[in-house]
Amino acid sequence: MKKISFFLLCSLISVWTYAQEAKYVFFFIGDGMGVNQVQGTELYLGELDGKIRLTPLDFTEFPYATTSSTYSATNGVTDSAAGGTALATGTKTKNGTIGMEQDQQTPIASIAMRAKEKGCRVGIATSVSIDHATPAAFYAHNPNRKNYYQIGKDLFTAGFDFYAGSDFLDPDNHGQGESLYTLASQYGYTLARGYEDFMAKNEQADKLILLQTEKASATYRDAIPYAIDRREGDLCLSDITSAAIRFLSKDLSKGFFLMVEGGKIDWACHSNDAATAFREVVDLNESIRQALQFYENHPDETLIVISADHETGGLVLGTGAYALNLQALQYQRVSETAFTSILNSLRRQTGNRVTWEQARQALADNFGFWNELKLTEQQAKRLEEVYCRTFTGSDVEMEKSEYAQDEPLAAEAVRIINEIAMVGWVSGGHSAGYVPVFAIGAGADHFQGRMDNVEIPARIAEIAHYQ
């Protein structure tokens, strides 16, 4: 009897294992979600229970877990365009590039496109605009991630079954092009505004785009609200995920591929806003629960993979002492950006004559300062000094992060509550830190060992037979 070579044996094992095809694929991407964003959230939840322990998120209980590197073809630290393209296509590219090779000319097919070619139903969903870098990498090809109108047009060319996000950033090419809303109808898409509108239109729609209400977009079209700022009636990522599953499940015989991005983890980390970031991770977990419910009914045919395009902020859990005080973050009741809006409202109400007493009360109400959280004399002095500099002078220089321009008093309040919680940040940008990878379901055992981001879509494609 002839001996089988080790390499042939490995090949046969691989073919046999991948024969367990994933008919239904969920790919969740936590934008900016490094390992410390995940562990910080679990430690925070543990402290809320009065314990020094991890309170696991649903996805961290998945049977397979590892980490992935994220560098791009041109930079040790990737941006979301190159990071998203790597996760969508299995190819590293130049920072700023969407769905194209490093030459910024050659288009690359994503795993979503391959799923469609196979005959699967396909959905792309996010908590930010649908033409933002990460979702765009799955359906568009563009050398510049900021060419939002052209990226929006590629959405129709790709022709996927379901798209969802806050809105389009540039729906009419700055007034020089045909409206993307008009094109949606021409390409056979039903446009739903908000979850209730989706429920009313879902059954009759062949293809569908779910956006937030026009009223919400008139206020802020770039993203749906942070979880910490959410009000009744706001579109949330869990609603979006539920809608996507409902819509794609209208014909389960075809199978489906669904990518869902928790896009505002990144935004909160750009602002170094730990309380907001941890709540965004919890919010992503709530969306993943929607997929787990589906998985429970189809365990042998469903694959769920969770990862991230990069880490943002260089989050540090611990600032020198052998301790954490993450439970302090529960007293932050709004994001840094929402607190900026509160201060702006006070300016309008008082004719820009906000007193220190009014500012102090707003800080107490929204950060728990002086009440639930005691401040040191120096911390209190810092807040008052920032107030004096920005509320009694003629000009205010806003503090800028990647996606926000905030009142200096809001930024200082977040810095101080981070100090109290013993959380640190290295920068307001991305880092090259490892990001987590979690998997459950058909073929999930192939997400083990040291990985690079380009391997994730390659393995998904093999497991789902998209080749």
Side-chain angles (χ1 to χ4, degrees):
M1 183 177 177
K2 292 182 178 180
K3 291 184 179 180
I4 299 175
S5 75
F6 173 77
F7 295 105
L8 178 59
L9 180 61
C10 289
S11 177
L12 290 171
I13 291 172
S14 177
V15 170
W16 177 84
T17 305
Y18 280 127
Q20 185 187 15
E21 179 181 352
K23 187 175 182 179
Y24 312 109
V25 176
F26 294 88
F27 190 10
F28 288 88
I29 299 173
D31 199 310
M33 187 179 73
V35 291
N36 275 2
Q37 278 78 0
V38 175
Q39 176 149 266
T41 302
E42 294 186 314
L43 286 166
Y44 165 69
L45 294 174
E47 287 195 22
L48 290 184
D49 291 334
K51 305 287 179 61
I52 299 176
R53 68 176 187 191
L54 299 176
T55 295
L57 298 160
D58 292 82
F59 64 86
T60 62
E61 299 278 77
F62 285 8
Y64 298 98
T66 185
T67 56
S68 169
S69 48
T70 63
Y71 60 91
S72 73
T74 56
N75 297 70
V77 178
T78 190
D79 79 323
S80 288
T85 297
L87 291 176
T89 69
T91 302
K92 289 186 183 291
T93 191
K94 183 178 181 179
N95 278 16
T97 306
I98 298 289
M100 303 184 87
E101 297 273 9
Q102 187 178 342
D103 61 12
Q104 296 187 307
Q105 295 180 5
T106 308
I108 320 167
S110 70
I111 51 174
M113 293 172 177
R114 292 183 184 181
K116 184 176 185 294
E117 289 173 0
K118 184 186 175 183
C120 298
R121 292 167 66 78
V122 176
I124 304 296
T126 179
S127 58
V128 297
S129 64
I130 190 57
D131 46 17
H132 217 259
T134 303
F138 285 83
Y139 65 77
H141 311 287
N142 203 286
N144 186 343
R145 60 178 288 180
K146 294 185 178 180
N147 288 335
Y148 297 116
Y149 182 71
Q150 292 301 324
I151 287 170
K153 290 179 71 175
D154 278 357
L155 176 152
F156 303 118
T157 304
F160 298 159
D161 301 89
F162 180 90
Y163 296 96
S166 62
D167 214 314
F168 293 103
L169 285 179
D170 183 14
D172 59 4
N173 198 20
H174 303 290
Q176 303 301 309
E178 188 172 10
S179 168
L180 295 178
Y181 307 123
T182 302
L183 286 174
S185 178
Q186 293 176 10
Y187 277 87
Y189 284 92
T190 297
L191 183 62
R193 287 283 190 175
Y195 191 74
E196 288 186 9
D197 196 32
F198 163 78
M199 291 299 290
K201 295 176 176 178
N202 164 51
E203 290 301 325
Q204 302 304 316
D206 293 324
K207 296 185 290 185
L208 190 138
I209 301 173
L210 170 60
L211 305 175
Q212 65 185 359
T213 64
E214 290 182 90
K215 181 180 178 181
S217 281
T219 301
Y220 189 67
R221 69 187 309 110
D222 297 46
I224 63 175
Y226 282 120
I228 196 173
D229 300 327
R230 187 180 299 143
R231 297 180 179 178
E232 186 176 353
D234 288 338
L235 188 63
C236 67
L237 191 61
S238 184
D239 285 343
I240 287 172
T241 306
S242 175
I245 295 170
R246 179 183 289 268
F247 192 81
L248 297 177
S249 297
K250 287 165 70 172
D251 186 356
L252 285 177
S253 65
K254 294 182 177 180
F256 64 69
F257 171 87
L258 173 62
M259 189 287 293
V260 179
E261 181 202 22
K264 295 191 80 175
I265 300 169
D266 174 64
W267 293 29
C269 292
H270 275 296
S271 294
N272 293 170
D273 188 345
T276 299
F278 292 164
R279 287 169 173 85
E280 286 300 299
V281 174
V282 171
D283 201 51
L284 177 64
N285 189 60
E286 293 292 328
S287 301
I288 292 167
R289 281 182 183 168
Q290 303 289 329
L292 281 170
Q293 290 175 10
F294 182 93
Y295 165 80
E296 287 169 2
N297 292 321
H298 308 274
D300 297 328
E301 300 175 291
T302 302
L303 170 66
I304 306 174
V305 178
I306 321 294
S307 194
D309 51 352
H310 54 75
E311 191 276 343
T312 300
L315 175 62
V316 178
L317 302 173
T319 53
Y322 293 101
L324 286 169
N325 186 32
L326 299 177
Q327 59 83 29
L329 298 174
Q330 69 184 297
Y331 301 113
Q332 182 177 328
R333 298 176 177 94
V334 294
S335 67
E336 180 178 316
T337 298
F339 191 62
T340 292
S341 297
I342 289 169
L343 294 177
N344 289 341
S345 180
L346 277 175
R347 287 183 184 275
R348 289 192 299 271
Q349 292 168 20
T350 63
N352 207 24
R353 288 186 174 86
V354 181
T355 66
W356 168 238
E357 288 71 23
Q358 289 172 312
R360 190 180 190 277
Q361 188 60 54
L363 288 163
D365 291 343
N366 293 285
F367 289 88
F369 295 158
W370 298 285
N371 297 328
E372 295 96 343
L373 297 177
K374 303 305 178 187
L375 300 181
T376 66
E377 183 178 338
Q378 171 136 21
Q379 288 168 338
K381 184 179 179 181
R382 281 165 52 192
L383 289 169
E384 190 166 2
E385 285 177 347
V386 172
Y387 160 80
C388 290
R389 176 168 53 85
T390 59
F391 280 83
T392 59
S394 56
D395 295 318
V396 179
E397 185 177 349
M398 304 293 273
E399 294 219 10
K400 297 179 181 179
S401 63
E402 186 70 19
Y403 296 105
Q405 295 188 48
D406 290 323
E407 285 269 2
L409 188 58
E412 190 66 19
V414 167
R415 278 191 285 269
I416 286 173
I417 201 167
N418 284 343
E419 287 176 11
I420 295 170
M422 301 182 185
V423 169
W425 299 89
V426 173
S427 77
H430 298 175
S431 80
Y434 281 124
V435 297
V437 182
F438 301 95
I440 190 172
D445 56 319
H446 290 272
F447 295 89
Q448 298 185 69
R450 181 172 178 169
M451 295 185 69
D452 184 68
N453 54 8
V454 297
E455 297 176 73
I456 297 172
R459 295 185 191 188
I460 290 174
E462 287 185 88
I463 296 164
H465 296 185
Y466 293 158
Q467 310 291 54

